[in-house]
Amino acid sequence: MRKLLSVFTAFAMALTILTGSIALPLLIRPFYRAQIEPLGIPARSGLTAEQIGAAFDDVMDYCLGKRPDFAAGVLSFSPEGASHFADVRRLFLLDLRVLAVCMAVLLVLYALRRKKGLTLCPLAGHSPGFWAGCGLGGALAIAGVLAALDFDRAFTVFHSIFFPGKDNWLFDPATDPVILILPEAFFRSCAILILAAVLLCCAALIIADLCRRRRAP
């Protein structure tokens, strides 16, 4: 039972790190605004930085469930474009819900351990955090290397996995100019942020476990 609880804890920790890292570029609006000028988005779109920021806010408010209908500031959009963002909305909300559930699970487990004096069973001599860090960090590091070798291909594979059988993510700027304020370079920056956050958290878990083992008698 204790071993099963340890495995479950490791899984919950890994999911918390992953979904929390994914949530960073979704929730931190200044991350996008800081890239408006460096990525040349005003020149690409013909909009001012203020219009671009307002359009991005509308898109993200919809994708995060803060408004019922899709909007993109002064930019027009097609039914197919709106349909893609409806798919994106479902994924974003799923990520945030999984993050909330995993955090709640970890808090409950921590409270039970404190109140009941439960201890987690080491897995091959290491804590659940160590294995969460190794498993998730290793998998994301490999994915990051592959994406770095050919980001365009990785971008296409990503969409084929998460939007199977659909091609409404292939925007035509003439009918969906919103794509002009969301260049591929921005999504590359998001991927780098997510990967860096995951690897940092995983490294912290691994180092904490190694330090604990070194202090142990």
Side-chain angles (χ1 to χ4, degrees):
M1 180 64 180
R2 289 176 58 219
K3 186 174 183 179
L4 183 61
L5 183 61
S6 293
V7 172
F8 181 72
T9 300
F11 182 72
M13 293 175 75
L15 263 184
T16 299
I17 293 173
L18 178 60
T19 54
S21 298
I22 292 173
L24 289 178
L26 309 184
L27 301 177
I28 304 176
R29 303 286 175 94
F31 178 73
Y32 174 78
R33 283 181 164 75
Q35 300 179 72
I36 291 177
E37 295 294 345
L39 295 181
I41 298 177
R44 288 168 51 90
S45 64
L47 303 178
T48 65
E50 290 73 20
Q51 289 175 317
I52 293 168
F56 182 77
D57 284 341
D58 280 349
V59 170
M60 292 306 296
D61 284 346
Y62 172 74
C63 291
L64 294 175
K66 294 183 178 181
R67 60 179 302 149
D69 301 316
F70 179 71
V74 298
L75 296 172
S76 60
F77 52 87
S78 68
E80 292 76 16
S83 175
H84 174 66
F85 282 104
D87 295 335
V88 171
R89 173 188 173 108
R90 284 189 282 272
L91 289 179
F92 282 8
L93 293 179
L94 175 62
D95 178 81
L96 295 177
R97 286 166 183 154
V98 172
L99 173 60
V101 169
C102 288
M103 290 180 66
V105 166
L106 290 176
L107 286 173
V108 169
L109 290 175
Y110 177 76
L112 288 175
R113 288 173 57 198
R114 297 279 293 182
K115 186 174 182 179
K116 303 292 186 180
L118 297 176
T119 57
L120 295 176
C121 175
L123 301 171
H126 291 280
S127 69
F130 174 86
W131 294 112
C134 287
L136 179 62
L140 265 289
I142 293 172
V145 170
L146 294 176
L149 294 175
D150 189 349
F151 185 78
D152 290 341
R153 174 62 178 166
F155 194 68
T156 300
V157 170
F158 171 85
H159 282 83
S160 66
I161 293 174
F162 289 98
F163 306 104
K166 296 188 176 182
D167 60 4
N168 57 4
W169 58 273
L170 296 169
F171 287 90
D172 180 352
T175 56
D176 287 287
V178 65
I179 195 61
L180 297 175
I181 71 167
L182 297 170
E184 188 174 295
F186 168 65
F187 294 108
R188 185 183 294 112
S189 296
C190 290
I192 292 172
L193 174 63
I194 292 169
L195 180 61
V198 167
L199 294 182
L200 182 62
C201 291
C202 290
L205 290 177
I206 293 170
I207 292 171
D209 176 81
L210 296 177
C211 290
R212 178 191 60 81
R213 283 169 57 85
R214 187 169 298 177
R215 291 195 302 267

